[in-house]
């Protein structure tokens, strides 16, 4: 049984040196515990204040945390799915730089309460803010449940 | 965003991601002169999320267009969430209520593979859009 409470919320260790140059980004994947994958995206924006990275994910996006260094204006981060929808559900918009921001990603399903959203395939992470801001975004994804089941895809 | 359908009344389906436990289907649609686009398709599992992106400019649907995903009983798997869809440029995500999930995934899905109908209405003459359907074969709620 997968439990969302297995997610570790230990502080982010800032490693912006691994990015190294303006306009660059990097993505690493780590498994802090069974059933949980963390995608860590680091980026240094270009002079326009924007940076992007591509992340391929599969599972249930449970939460995120974003650490920033530098910058003087507000920033925002979007994680766009295949059709450009922000799977963070506007969870990182107009944030103040310098503080660690963390949150859960939940979608309303009515009386049964909220639950995290499914993520599949390649996503584009878009950072925007002051050009002096450096970003480290961690996406916490739980493994997809159950064994593979057959299906017949699409019929016209 | 590419709106790949050029013929009115056509819905073109693509399987973008197939992870076994879940699948991402994308439908490019273009409405007929009467503002309708319909297509039959099959899916196994629970419709977790539908994201809609409408074309802009001359291909932009009229505001308050309607979207339904009908199961083999004729029930709307979106539970009415697709009524009066906006035609704005921003993607819109619909999260169907659990009480109106597409199918009884424990029995009917694997046995009968029932047909679904995607139905778009009131979109205007020859308008376009893209729908992304996230279908989960087996969903185990992560303990919330």
């Amino acid at each position: 049984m997968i439990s969302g409470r297995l997610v570790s919320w230990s502080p982010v260790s800032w490693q912006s040196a691994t990015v190294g140059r303006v306009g660059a980004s990097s993505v690493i994947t780590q498994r802090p515990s069974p059933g949980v994958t963390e995608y860590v995206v680091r980026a240094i924006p270009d002079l326009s204040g924007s940076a992007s990275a591509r992340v391929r994910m599969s599972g249930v996006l449970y939460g995120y945390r974003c650490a920033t260094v530098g910058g003087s204006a507000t920033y925002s981060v979007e994680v766009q799915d295949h059709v450009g929808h922000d799977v963070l559900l506007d969870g990182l918009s107009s944030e103040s730089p310098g503080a660690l921001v963390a949150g859960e990603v939940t979608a309303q399903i009515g009386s049964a309460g909220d639950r995290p959203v499914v993520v599949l395939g390649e996503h584009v992470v878009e950072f925007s803010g002051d050009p002096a801001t450096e970003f480290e975004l961690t996406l916490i994804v739980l493994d997809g449940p159950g064994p593979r089941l057959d299906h017949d895809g699409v019929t016209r | 965003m590419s709106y790949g359908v050029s013929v009115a009344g056509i819905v073109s389906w693509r399987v973008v991601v197939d992870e076994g436990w879940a699948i991402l289907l994308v439908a490019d649609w273009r409405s007929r002169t009467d503002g309708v686009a319909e297509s039959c398709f099959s899916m196994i599992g629970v419709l977790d999320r539908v994201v809609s992106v409408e074309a802009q400019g001359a291909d932009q649907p009229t505001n308050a267009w309607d979207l339904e995903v009908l199961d083999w009983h004729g029930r709307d798997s979106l539970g009415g969430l697709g009524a009066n869809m906006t035609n704005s440029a921003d993607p819109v995500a619909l999260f169907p209520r659990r009480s109106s999930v597409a199918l009884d995934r424990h029995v009917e899905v694997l046995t009968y593979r029932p047909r679904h109908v995607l139905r778009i209405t009131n979109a205007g003459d020859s308008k376009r859009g893209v729908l992304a359907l996230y279908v989960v074969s087996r969903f185990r709620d992560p303990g919330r």
Side-chain angles (χ1 to χ4, degrees), chain A residues 13-116:
Chain A
S13 59
W14 181 252
Q15 301 177 55
S16 63
T18 60
V19 178
R21 61 184 173 82
V22 170
S25 62
S26 69
V27 181
I28 63 170
T29 302
Q30 54 195 30
R31 298 276 284 182
S33 61
V36 180
T37 302
E38 288 185 336
Y39 300 87
V40 182
V41 185
R42 300 188 180 100
I44 300 177
D46 58 21
L47 295 179
S48 69
S50 63
S52 65
R54 294 182 181 275
V55 185
R56 183 173 294 277
M57 298 186 287
S58 174
V60 180
L61 180 60
Y62 181 83
Y64 60 84
R65 54 179 177 259
C66 187
T68 57
V69 171
S72 58
T74 59
Y75 71 88
S76 62
V77 179
E78 288 193 356
V79 180
Q80 299 173 355
D81 69 4
H82 182 77
V83 292
H85 176 242
D86 181 11
V87 297
L88 296 186
L89 308 177
D90 296 325
L92 274 168
S93 62
S94 301
E95 301 291 346
S96 298
L100 176 67
V101 178
E104 298 177 358
V105 177
T106 57
Q108 182 69 36
I109 60 167
S111 59
D114 295 348
R115 62 177 166 81

Side-chain angles (χ1 to χ4, degrees), chain B residues 13-87:
Chain B
W13 292 89
R14 290 174 285 144
V15 178
V16 175
V17 180
D18 182 355
E19 294 283 351
W21 68 276
I23 189 169
L24 171 56
L25 306 176
V26 172
D28 299 275
W29 60 269
R30 181 162 188 157
S31 59
R32 302 188 306 245
T33 55
D34 61 359
V36 174
E38 289 182 304
S39 178
C40 298
F41 70 104
S42 294
M43 65 177 183
I44 291 177
V46 177
L47 186 58
D48 183 74
R49 161 164 112 252
V50 176
V51 181
S52 173
V53 185
E54 296 81 34
Q56 299 297 295
D59 291 333
Q60 183 181 27
T62 57
N63 202 17
W65 61 283
D66 296 312
L67 168 65
E68 293 176 300
V69 178
L70 304 175
D71 68 10
W72 69 331
H73 300 295
R75 297 177 305 183
D76 181 12
S77 297
L78 298 177
L81 294 176
N84 298 319
M85 296 285 288
T86 178
N87 63 353

